[in-house]
Amino acid sequence: GCGAGEDDPRHGEVGARGRDEGGRGVELAAAVSPNRSDNFEWRILANATFNESEVISLGGDVEGESITVGGSFFHGELRQVEGQPMAQLYGWAWKRDASGNIVHADDGRPLRTDQQVSFGSGLPTSWGGITNSLDYKGISFSFLIDWVAGNKVISGTHVNAYRHGLDKGSLLGREEGFVVGEGVNQEGQPNTVPVPVQTWHETIRSRRLAEISVFDGGSWQLRQISLGYDFTKHLPENKYIRGVRLNLVANNVAVLSQDIPHVHPDQNAIISDRQAGLEATGMPVTRDIGFNLNIKF
């Protein structure tokens, strides 16, 4: 379970389960050697976790069917909602008519929904990794690819980039000096009112429109590469050193696929399960290269 802190006035008990009362999740691991000989071996190790959750109770002292356990100074908040997966991300969305058209005010700026809406859970439903290892006459090479999927993110970095004109979405209307929003007015007619470009792009902040900054939080990453050599066979016979291996290792090598712009998928200044999925500006994730020297005595 999870919830607000013990000294938080919003504190309530939160329970989680899967589709049944006992919870539901699967962890898998497999290892295989597609090719093996006297001088060469190729090994593959894969693991994966799949998990579903559901908030079943907020406690008897909590009024209503949801509790807000965290929020961002940008414009999103984290709620636990009875009957929904844990860690629901809520925020303001574009107001739309029955046909899905964005509704604009008389001044031409888009309106927001009357109530905050859920954009999905900030917690992933699956994650895992695949490691390939190859050994040939003492030379070893391995690489790890991992993934995370099933979670949403409200990106505070995107909010700031957009409102300061640093996101490509803010290029809209720059040449003309104005924007005519696609959609309808409050009478249901096509919107034709031009809005100064600065005023248009300020709307995301002034009306705290979170929808434009909601992204799929999943990613595929080349997490680690290792290249090594076993020097043991080159050592003179002695009773002190039984083996020597040197490995060069690189971590956080490359992001292969992601949806969130401007930041690394793991980058966040907020480290708390009460802020899951609420990304805020943080220090960049670093790529490091080093070596491991293993000596057996």
Side-chain angles (χ1 to χ4, degrees):
C2 71
E6 295 291 342
D7 57 349
D8 195 308
R10 302 168 299 182
H11 175 68
E13 298 178 358
V14 179
R17 62 173 175 84
R19 294 185 183 277
D20 55 25
E21 292 294 331
R24 184 168 183 172
V26 176
E27 295 184 9
L28 303 172
V32 62
S33 294
N35 193 318
R36 180 183 295 177
S37 65
D38 292 340
N39 294 321
F40 177 76
E41 183 178 6
W42 174 22
R43 298 185 303 276
I44 301 174
L45 174 63
N47 68 285
T49 300
F50 304 89
N51 186 66
E52 294 181 350
S53 68
E54 181 181 345
V55 176
I56 57 176
S57 175
L58 297 174
D61 58 339
V62 176
E63 297 182 2
E65 298 181 348
S66 69
I67 182 173
T68 298
V69 296
S72 167
F73 59 88
F74 291 104
H75 35 261
E77 62 183 50
L78 189 71
R79 299 182 188 179
Q80 306 295 356
V81 184
E82 287 188 9
Q84 297 295 320
M86 297 182 68
Q88 291 292 304
L89 294 170
Y90 272 74
W92 302 102
W94 307 111
K95 186 172 184 178
R96 300 177 185 272
D97 63 14
S99 299
N101 300 305
I102 296 177
V103 180
H104 297 75
D106 293 339
D107 62 1
R109 295 202 297 164
L111 295 171
R112 71 181 190 184
T113 50
D114 297 330
Q115 302 290 333
Q116 292 191 28
V117 301
S118 173
F119 297 112
S121 174
L123 299 179
T125 56
S126 68
W127 56 93
I130 303 173
T131 300
N132 281 267
S133 300
L134 300 96
D135 292 282
Y136 177 71
K137 293 183 177 183
I139 301 173
S140 62
F141 174 73
S142 68
F143 61 93
L144 166 63
I145 295 176
D146 61 22
W147 88 87
V148 174
N151 58 311
K152 294 293 184 180
V153 171
I154 301 178
S155 174
T157 298
H158 178 263
V159 173
N160 261 343
Y162 190 94
R163 72 191 182 100
H164 289 304
L166 302 176
D167 181 79
K168 64 181 181 180
S170 65
L171 293 173
L172 180 67
R174 287 197 190 182
E175 291 187 6
E176 300 83 0
F178 62 88
V179 176
V180 178
E182 294 186 9
V184 298
N185 58 29
Q186 296 180 80
E187 286 71 43
Q189 301 300 315
N191 176 56
T192 58
V193 180
V195 181
V197 65
Q198 178 67 30
T199 304
W200 174 269
H201 293 302
E202 286 175 352
T203 305
I204 185 178
R205 181 63 168 167
S206 62
R207 292 184 176 164
R208 301 180 63 206
L209 285 161
E211 183 177 353
I212 197 173
S213 300
V214 176
F215 300 96
D216 188 328
S219 67
W220 286 82
Q221 298 187 50
L222 177 56
R223 184 67 66 177
Q224 185 181 83
I225 293 178
S226 175
L227 177 64
Y229 185 70
D230 189 344
F231 291 91
T232 303
K233 63 184 179 182
H234 301 293
L235 297 176
E237 291 188 8
N238 64 79
K239 61 181 180 181
Y240 301 107
I241 300 177
R242 298 167 51 196
V244 176
R245 172 176 284 277
L246 178 66
N247 287 283
L248 297 177
V249 181
N251 295 302
N252 296 325
V253 181
V255 177
L256 305 178
S257 175
Q258 72 173 105
D259 188 41
I260 309 171
H262 310 306
V263 297
H264 189 281
D266 300 334
Q267 182 177 324
N268 200 340
I270 304 173
I271 309 299
S272 169
D273 58 1
R274 291 171 55 185
Q275 306 283 351
L278 296 174
E279 183 272 325
T281 51
M283 295 297 293
V285 172
T286 58
R287 180 185 299 116
D288 60 83
I289 301 175
F291 69 89
N292 296 325
L293 178 62
N294 184 280
I295 302 176
K296 293 182 180 181
F297 296 96

